[in-house]
C-alpha cells in the first residue's frame, strides 16, 4: 500500500476487558369509560395471506380489574376491527391480518424516569438498568424510562389499576383505523426522528397517532402483553423500535426473551386500562402488585467451571459480558461505532472511508479456534466501494501510538485479521506488524456467502495452531498460512474496515473461542 493510503488510513482500536457484572440497583382528559369487562382481542387472517388462523384472549389481571384506574393522562381507543402486521419483505412483522378489539384506554405518553422514580421510592421496585446508584440520569427526568424488566413494567401498571397493553391494542393505537404505516401517516420522513438518543416525551409533537398517542415509533422500545401471533413459550413482545430509528413503522415488533439483558436495558413501557375514571387522582400506587425477583447477575460469556476447552462464548445478549459498549450516542465517534445491539448482536461500524476498527476481548490465547457468526446490516452502497470484516487473532505486543498521519488511539503492536470482502468475493489475511498493515495471504472464496440476511449469518472461523493458520467460511476451508513462528499468542476480537465504501455496519451474532491441542 502506498504512502497516500498510509496517510489516509484510520487505525481505530478499542480494547474491552472483562468487567464485573452490575445491575443498577401535561394531562389529557379521558373519554368516558366502557363497562368494566375484560378486553378481548381476536385475530382473523385476511384472505390471501399465509398467516395461520388463531385467536388470543386477554384477561386483565384480577387485582387490576377489581379497581378503576385514573383516566388522567390517558386516551380512549375505539372498539372495532384494525389491520395489524405488514406484508412488506424484511420487515420482521407478522403478515397482515385483522384484529377486533374492545374499547380500551392507553397512556398518551411512555412512562418517564420521574414517574418510575416515584414507583421505586413508594413500592421498593428495582431501579432500572442505567441508573447509577439508583438515581435518574441528570436532565432526563421527563425522558422515557428504559431498563425495566417486563415483570416490573407489568407490576407498575397493576399498582395503578392498569395493565400493559396487548400487542394488538398497542399497534391499533399507534396506526389507527386506516392502518397507516407510521403514527403520522405513510411517509417516513414527514417527522424528523433521525437523531439518536432519547428525548422528552411528547417533544416530537408531530409523532402522534390518530388516537392521540405520542411517541409510539422512534422513541423507546415498549413492552406489551398477549401477542396476537403465537410466540415461543417464555418469550415476550416489544414494540416501537429504538430511539431515533423509524425503521418500518408501527408494524415493527420483536419477539424476545425477557431475561435478555441487551433487550431490557433499552426497553420501557406505557400502560392501558379497560375502565377509567377521569376524576381520580393520577399516580396513586397500590401495593397490590407482583414483586418480581431481582434479575440474575451472571455474566454471559464466561465459561462454566470444568469446560476446559471453552475459553470464551458470547451471544451478546448481556451488555455486561465485557465488550466495549458505545450505545450512548455521546460516546460515539464520527469515524466508528461499536457496541451491543439487542436482542443479540454486537455491531462494529466503520463510518467513513478508509477506517479500520476492532474490538478485542482483552485476553491472551495461544492455540485456539475462533468462530464468529456475522452479517452486514448496512452500507452506503458506494458504486464499486470495497469493505471487509472478520476475526482478529494473535493481537500482541505493547500498545503503540499510530504513525504520523494515521488517526486513532493506541493499538496493539502486532495482530492478524482474517477478513472477507463481499463485494469481490475474496478473503484476505492481514498482518499488522508495521504501519500500514500487510496483506500476507488472499484468495477467492470457494463457498457462497449470504452477507446481508440476519436470519442466516455467515460463519467465519480461524484455527491458529502454533504457526499453522487455517481459515474457514461456512464450514469450508478457504485457505492456510504458515506464520513461521510469529508471536505464538495474543488477543482475539472482531474487525471491520472500509476501503472505498463510506460506511460498513456489521453485526456479529456470536463469537466462540475454544482451545486447540
Amino acid at each position: 500500500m502506498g504512502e497516500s493510503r498510509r496517510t489516509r488510513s484510520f487505525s481505530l482500536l478499542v480494547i474491552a476487558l472483562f468487567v464485573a457484572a452490575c445491575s443498577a440497583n401535561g394531562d389529557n382528559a379521558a373519554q368516558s369509560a366502557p363497562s368494566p369487562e375484560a378486553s378481548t382481542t381476536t385475530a382473523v387472517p385476511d384472505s390471501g395471506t399465509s398467516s395461520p388462523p388463531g385467536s388470543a384472549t386477554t384477561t386483565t389481571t384480577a387485582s387490576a380489574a377489581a379497581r378503576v384506574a385514573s383516566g388522567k393522562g390517558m386516551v380512549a381507543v375505539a372498539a372495532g376491527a384494525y389491520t395489524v402486521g405488514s406484508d412488506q419483505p424484511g420487515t420482521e412483522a407478522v403478515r397482515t391480518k385483522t384484529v377486533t378489539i374492545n374499547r380500551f384506554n392507553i397512556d398518551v405518553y411512555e412512562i418517564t424516569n420521574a414517574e418510575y422514580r416515584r414507583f421505586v421510592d413508594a413500592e421498593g421496585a428495582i431501579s432500572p438498568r442505567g441508573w447509577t446508584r439508583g438515581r435518574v440520569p441528570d436532565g432526563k427526568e421527563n425522558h422515557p424510562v428504559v431498563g425495566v424488566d417486563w415483570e416490573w413494567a407489568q407490576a407498575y401498571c397493576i399498582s395503578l389499576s392498569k395493565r400493559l397493553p396487548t400487542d394488538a391494542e398497542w399497534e391499533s393505537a399507534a396506526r389507527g383505523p386506516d392502518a397507516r404505516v407510521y403514527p403520522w401517516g405513510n411517509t417516513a420522513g414527514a417527522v424528523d426522528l433521525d437523531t439518536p438518543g432519547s428525548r422528552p416525551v411528547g417533544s416530537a409533537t408531530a409523532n402522534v397517532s390518530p388516537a392521540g398517542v405520542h411517541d409510539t415509533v422512534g422513541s423507546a422500545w415498549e413492552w406489551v402483553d398477549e401477542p396476537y401471533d403465537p410466540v415461543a413459550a417464555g418469550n415476550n413482545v416489544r414494540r416501537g423500535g429504538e430511539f431515533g430509528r423509524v425503521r418500518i413503522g408501527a408494524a415493527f415488533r420483536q419477539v424476545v426473551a425477557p431475561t435478555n439483558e441487551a433487550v431490557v436495558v433499552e426497553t420501557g413501557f406505557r400502560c392501558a386500562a379497560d375502565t377509567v375514571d377521569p376524576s381520580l387522582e393520577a399516580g396513586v400506587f397500590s401495593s397490590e402488585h407482583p414483586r418480581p425477583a431481582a434479575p440474575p447477575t451472571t455474566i454471559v460469556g464466561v465459561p462454566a467451571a470444568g469446560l476446559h476447552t471453552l475459553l470464551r462464548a458470547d451471544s451478546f445478549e448481556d451488555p455486561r459480558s465485557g465488550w466495549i459498549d458505545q450505545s450512548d450516542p455521546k460516546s460515539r465517534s464520527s469515524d466508528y461505532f461499536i457496541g451491543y445491539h439487542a436482542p443479540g448482536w454486537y455491531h462494529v461500524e466503520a463510518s467513513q472511508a478508509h477506517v479500520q476498527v476492532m474490538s478485542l476481548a482483552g485476553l491472551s490465547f495461544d492455540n485456539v479456534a475462533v468462530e464468529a457468526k456475522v452479517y452486514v446490516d448496512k452500507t452506503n452502497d458506494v458504486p464499486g466501494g470495497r469493505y471487509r470484516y472478520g476475526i482478529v487473532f494473535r493481537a500482541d505486543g505493547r500498545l503503540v501510538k499510530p504513525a504520523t498521519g494515521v488517526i486513532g488511539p493506541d493499538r496493539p503492536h502486532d495482530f492478524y485479521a482474517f477478513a472477507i470482502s463481499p463485494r469481490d468475493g475474496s478473503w484476505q489475511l492481514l498482518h499488522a506488524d508495521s504501519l500500514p498493515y500487510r496483506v500476507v495471504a488472499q484468495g477467492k472464496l470457494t463457498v457462497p456467502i449470504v452477507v446481508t440476511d440476519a436470519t442466516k449469518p455467515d460463519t467465519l472461523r480461524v484455527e491458529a495452531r502454533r504457526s499453522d493458520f487455517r481459515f474457514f467460511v461456512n464450514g469450508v476451508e478457504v485457505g492456510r498460512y504458515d506464520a513461521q513462528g510469529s508471536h505464538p499468542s495474543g488477543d482475539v476480537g472482531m474487525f471491520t474496515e472500509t476501503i472505498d465504501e463510506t460506511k460498513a455496519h456489521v453485526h456479529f451474532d456470536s463469537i466462540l473461542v475454544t482451545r486447540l491441542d
Side-chain angles (χ1 to χ4, degrees), residues 15-34:
I15 298 181
L17 301 176
F18 275 108
V19 295
C22 63
S23 176
N25 257 11
D27 293 346
N28 290 31
Q31 307 289 333
S32 59

Side-chain angles (χ1 to χ4, degrees), residues 32-396:
S32 59
S35 59
E37 61 181 351
S39 172
T40 301
T41 303
T42 302
V44 182
D46 286 348
S47 59
T49 72
S50 59
S51 301
S55 64
T57 300
T58 301
T59 304
T60 308
T61 305
S63 60
R67 300 186 304 275
V68 177
S70 168
K72 294 180 179 179
M74 304 188 83
V75 292
V77 179
Y82 292 82
T83 299
V84 296
S86 173
D87 292 331
Q88 294 298 314
T91 59
E92 298 185 51
V94 173
R95 292 291 301 275
T96 298
K97 62 175 65 179
T98 299
V99 295
T100 302
I101 63 172
N102 287 342
R103 187 174 184 272
F104 72 101
N105 303 273
I106 190 168
D107 288 341
V108 173
Y109 304 114
E110 296 153 315
I111 303 305
T112 66
N113 283 306
E115 290 170 326
Y116 201 81
R117 172 77 267 174
R118 293 181 53 251
F119 183 57
V120 171
D121 292 342
E123 296 299 317
I126 296 172
S127 296
R129 320 295 200 275
W131 286 15
T132 303
R133 297 186 178 91
R135 296 169 55 186
V136 174
D138 290 342
K140 292 194 173 183
E141 290 78 8
N142 202 35
H143 289 227
V145 67
V146 293
V148 179
D149 296 276
W150 186 93
E151 290 182 332
W152 272 113
Q154 182 75 295
Y156 176 98
C157 295
I158 292 173
S159 74
L160 295 176
S161 303
K162 302 179 182 180
R163 56 180 173 78
L164 288 176
T166 70
D167 195 8
E169 287 173 341
W170 188 98
E171 189 170 335
S172 299
R175 299 180 67 182
D178 56 352
R180 51 186 60 187
V181 178
Y182 305 97
W184 55 84
N186 295 318
T187 304
V191 176
D192 182 11
L193 296 174
D194 234 5
T195 305
S198 68
R199 57 179 65 82
V201 298
S203 58
T205 56
N207 187 4
V208 58
S209 76
V213 184
H214 285 254
D215 304 326
T216 50
V217 167
S219 188
W221 283 103
E222 299 179 32
W223 291 119
V224 296
D225 199 1
E226 294 292 341
Y228 60 69
D229 198 68
V231 301
N235 284 351
N236 292 109
V237 174
R238 64 176 187 164
R239 306 300 304 250
E242 56 194 322
F243 294 125
R245 298 289 184 94
V246 173
R247 291 187 178 267
I248 66 154
F252 184 52
R253 68 202 287 271
Q254 279 190 343
V255 177
V256 295
T259 55
N260 184 322
E261 280 295 315
V263 165
V264 174
V265 296
E266 62 182 23
T267 307
F269 66 103
R270 71 181 79 216
C271 300
D274 302 309
T275 305
V276 299
D277 183 343
S279 67
L280 292 178
E281 181 182 354
V284 178
F285 299 111
S286 165
S287 294
E288 294 182 44
H289 61 78
R291 295 188 176 276
T297 57
T298 302
I299 299 179
V300 176
V302 178
L307 297 180
H308 301 297
T309 60
L310 180 61
L311 302 175
R312 182 81 191 257
D314 204 335
S315 57
F316 308 118
E317 294 181 2
D318 190 338
R320 300 168 298 177
S321 66
W323 304 90
I324 195 72
D325 190 11
Q326 294 180 325
S327 297
D328 185 346
K330 293 180 180 178
S331 68
R332 300 179 187 178
S333 164
S334 60
D335 298 320
Y336 67 95
F337 170 41
I338 55 179
Y340 292 84
H341 185 130
W345 298 303
Y346 187 88
H347 41 202
V348 181
E349 175 185 299
S351 310
Q352 308 285 341
H354 306 303
V355 169
Q356 180 193 105
V357 59
M358 66 184 73
S359 182
L360 301 181
L363 303 171
S364 183
F365 305 111
D366 46 22
N367 298 328
V368 295
V370 186
E371 184 171 291
K373 293 186 181 297
V374 57
Y375 79 97
V376 177
D377 182 63
K378 183 185 299 183
T379 68
N380 281 341
D381 292 327
V382 172
R386 295 169 296 163
Y387 65 97
R388 52 193 169 198
Y389 53 89
I391 296 170
V392 176
F393 63 105
R394 297 261 174 108
D396 189 34

